[in-house]
Amino acid sequence: QATRLTGKYGQRRDALAAAEEAARIRPGLDARNEVIAALTLPDLTMTREWPLRANARMAATFDPNHDRYAVADATGGINLHRLADGGRLQIFTGRGAAPAVGPTFSPDGQRIVIRDGQARVIAWQQDRAEPAFVLEGRAYLLAGSLGGYGQPDAFSPDGATLASATTGGVSFHSTTDGRELRRIATAAEPSHVTYSPTGDLIAVGRGLRSRGGGAEMFVLILDTAHGTEVARLPVTAGFQTLTWSGDGTSLLVAGQQLELYAPRTARRLRLISDPLANRGMFGPGDTLISANQGGVITLWDPATARPMLSAGIGGQPEIAIDRAGTLIAKASAEQGRLYRLDVSNVVRSVASKGSGGYDNVTNHGGAALDYSPDGRWLATAVWGAVQLREAASGLVVATVTLGTSNNHGGARFSRDGRSLLSGSRELGVVRIPITLAEGGAPRMGPPETLDADTGFVLADLSRDGRDAALVSMWRNEVKIVALESGTSSARWSLPGAGRAVFLAEDRELLVNSTEAMGRTPLAIHDAATGRELRPLAHTRGYHVRTSADQRWLVLGTGTNESVLLHAGDGKPGPRLPPEFQGSGKNAALAHDGTLLAIAAGTTIGLVRTTDGAVIAQLETTGSGTYAPELAFSPDGAQLTVCWENGLLTQWDLRSLRRELAARGLDW
């Protein structure tokens, strides 16, 4: 465990080795849990090392996406090589002066530009040794004091245009012959220019303070077609890099801290302090990477601002990463190195944001997470929206906004998988059609109102798909809505009405409550009339869930107590472990009823229903501290957890069991 918690280069490898050795001495749950925890860690593997250049003063640039790198000599000439084997592809002729900034690749990998010590911007294209064009009078912003700072020249994604910083702003040039196409004026000379991946936006910024200490820093987001200002980011500190995310929806401003912005709205999404950082990059998934002048990189979980991995990989500033965020090219003195950033194959975490940018996922009794009947898709109900996601990746493919950004709701797939049913506090019950385009992403149509009565959230859907159970902590009521007619067939009062499940082939409904937990008995109601049928020998405790086959029922019965029951007759099942009991320990049952997953803080306990034994504890750095919802995939191969901080964590249980079986630790 001490090895695993270092957060250093080799953490997964060393922690696994230690846990495997311990398991050989005494296999058991503790060894299994340590192996699982080690398997969740990211780590680095160096895959190649080679002589990069004659000396550290020769500027190098890496392009991992196109398997190449460029090294500039003292005359401004450039040698182009393959990353895979170091083979030389081209020698570009220089103009007699070493580069002040660059070399810089175009996004398509076909062009290279430098800004040299004689105030020239020189651009080449891959198939020609001589420059394609030269721009004179382009002095480097910090000439004579500091080399290599900034990004003053940038190619458009298609390589057809070069944007170049000038004293009065930014000029745009054809990369065929260098002719100027247009200019955009800025109040001060920019130090950074970078296109969005789609090319419709360009970030223009200055990361320096004036000599007198005045704040001249700025970052403008401009429309490339018209040169108009789209947004101005509220940066308050100096920065050294501007980096777009692969999908162009966020911009990372880095230098002593990582600031992540939504570029069109100028809203700051994340702030991570790293006082030594001078570069920022996007890692795999939602992770961020900082790098400092000393060659130390840190992989960050942006949702929690936690460092997940730190490694010293070379003292030179040159570094690059591919679009997937997994292949890192790094310079170290005369050497070049390639690293593979290995993320876990048993767990991943992705963002789950509300429509107004809120990260919190709260449901107030609603169903916040559901799998489609075929297991291909996930639905998440977050503040103000319902999201449709790929089950395999967890990535959002479609979103429908529902009410304001503060709207609480729940969502369930219809039994045929062709629509989503949502019940929210502001809009009532709606049906959202899903269109599965052949070969493309699914689309969600406009919501159709089924029941306009507000103040309720969707808690459960009957097994035949005809009725919805809705609860309201605001109105202290429960109601059943017939979805075909949109009418309420039953309704009754229940203070603190929380979660609810249909039982007995949809004939009965059990609703838990947050009111008088541990004191007031629970009751079973008739789902058709709302009439109380019988009390239970258990008291209120907020959560309740049942397995798809309705064999098992897990029920909160107090602030610190939960029980596992046989759903058919209510008889007690195996006793649950004390650490996984209580009103805040939300749970999910596998569809076949064999496994129970219970969230307790940052830990998910997997419990075997036949005897109540904990067979594994799942914990990862990409989590929160409270899980509003959990769900197993229909085939039981995946467990997905919604956290209160907006993360969606997905456990690949099949891959996990294969890893454990290889070490003799499977359950």
Side-chain angles (χ1 to χ4, degrees), residues 7 66 123 189 208 321 332 343 375 387 420 445 455 481 570 586 638:
H66 298 97
E189 181 177 354
L208 305 166
I321 194 166
S332 175
V343 293
Q387 300 163 327
L420 276 176
V481 172
N586 290 318
Q638 193 177 64

Side-chain angles (χ1 to χ4, degrees), residues 174-194:
S174 166
T175 54
T176 303
D177 53 15
R179 62 189 169 85
E180 186 171 320
L181 304 174
R182 63 188 182 281
R183 288 194 176 215
I184 297 176
T186 57
E189 181 177 354
S191 57
H192 293 71
V193 178
T194 177

Side-chain angles (χ1 to χ4, degrees), residues 386-540:
V386 171
Q387 300 163 327
L388 186 64
R389 299 170 177 266
E390 286 182 332
S393 66
L395 298 177
V396 175
V397 295
T399 300
V400 169
T401 300
L402 298 174
T404 71
S405 58
N406 197 35
N407 187 24
H408 301 277
R412 282 277 191 257
F413 280 95
S414 63
R415 295 309 178 197
D416 60 9
R418 296 177 182 175
S419 62
L420 276 176
L421 297 159
S422 175
S424 66
R425 181 182 180 182
E426 294 178 4
L427 298 185
V429 181
V430 299
R431 186 192 305 275
I432 307 169
I434 300 173
T435 303
L436 296 174
E438 187 174 351
R443 298 189 301 271
M444 292 196 290
E448 171 198 355
T449 299
L450 302 181
D451 173 31
D453 192 18
T454 60
F456 291 84
V457 295
L458 176 63
D460 198 19
L461 191 65
S462 64
R463 299 306 179 267
D464 61 13
R466 295 178 180 176
D467 297 310
L470 294 107
V471 297
S472 177
M473 289 185 176
W474 306 277
R475 298 174 61 163
N476 296 315
E477 285 186 295
V478 181
K479 69 175 181 177
I480 308 294
V481 172
L483 296 175
E484 290 183 3
S485 63
T487 58
S488 176
S489 59
R491 190 170 189 149
W492 64 94
S493 297
L494 179 63
R499 298 182 172 222
V501 292
F502 283 95
L503 297 172
E505 301 298 325
D506 301 334
R507 296 188 303 274
E508 299 174 350
L509 191 76
L510 173 58
V511 188
N512 214 325
S513 171
T514 60
E515 183 81 10
M517 291 191 297
R519 300 194 303 274
T520 302
L522 288 161
I524 300 287
H525 286 252
D526 187 300
T529 65
R531 180 173 59 90
E532 183 176 324
L533 298 176
R534 60 190 181 277
L536 294 182
H538 302 285
T539 54
R540 298 173 182 174

Side-chain angles (χ1 to χ4, degrees), residues 20-208:
E20 289 166 2
E21 185 177 356
R24 286 192 290 271
I25 297 171
R26 192 196 67 199
L29 179 61
D30 51 357
R32 178 187 297 154
N33 290 341
E34 274 304 313
V35 168
I36 293 172
L39 288 169
T40 69
L41 299 175
D43 215 342
L44 275 178
T45 303
M46 190 173 71
T47 61
R48 181 170 175 257
E49 184 177 32
W50 73 100
L52 176 66
R53 54 197 172 190
N55 61 72
R57 293 186 300 275
M58 301 170 68
T61 296
F62 301 101
D63 185 10
N65 289 301
H66 298 97
D67 190 35
R68 60 196 64 188
Y69 68 92
V71 178
D73 60 30
T75 68
I78 297 175
N79 290 277
L80 182 65
H81 297 262
R82 273 192 303 270
L83 266 175
D85 58 11
R88 191 161 62 191
L89 301 173
Q90 181 65 278
I91 299 176
F92 298 115
T93 305
R95 284 292 182 267
V101 183
T104 301
F105 280 97
S106 63
D108 62 7
Q110 299 300 303
R111 301 174 188 275
I112 292 179
V113 68
I114 65 167
R115 185 170 291 218
D116 73 8
Q118 294 184 3
R120 295 175 299 198
V121 171
I122 306 172
W124 293 267
Q125 59 187 39
Q126 182 177 302
D127 57 353
R128 292 169 52 188
E130 291 295 318
F133 62 89
V134 177
L135 303 179
E136 302 284 353
R138 299 288 169 128
Y140 170 56
L141 185 64
L142 296 177
S145 58
L146 178 66
Y149 170 79
Q151 303 159 268
D153 304 291
F155 290 97
S156 61
D158 59 5
T161 305
L162 177 73
S164 181
T166 71
T167 303
V170 181
S171 59
F172 295 82
H173 302 263
S174 166
T175 54
T176 303
D177 53 15
R179 62 189 169 85
E180 186 171 320
L181 304 174
R182 63 188 182 281
R183 288 194 176 215
I184 297 176
T186 57
E189 181 177 354
S191 57
H192 293 71
V193 178
T194 177
Y195 276 92
S196 68
T198 53
D200 59 333
L201 299 178
I202 188 167
V204 176
R206 182 183 178 91
L208 305 166

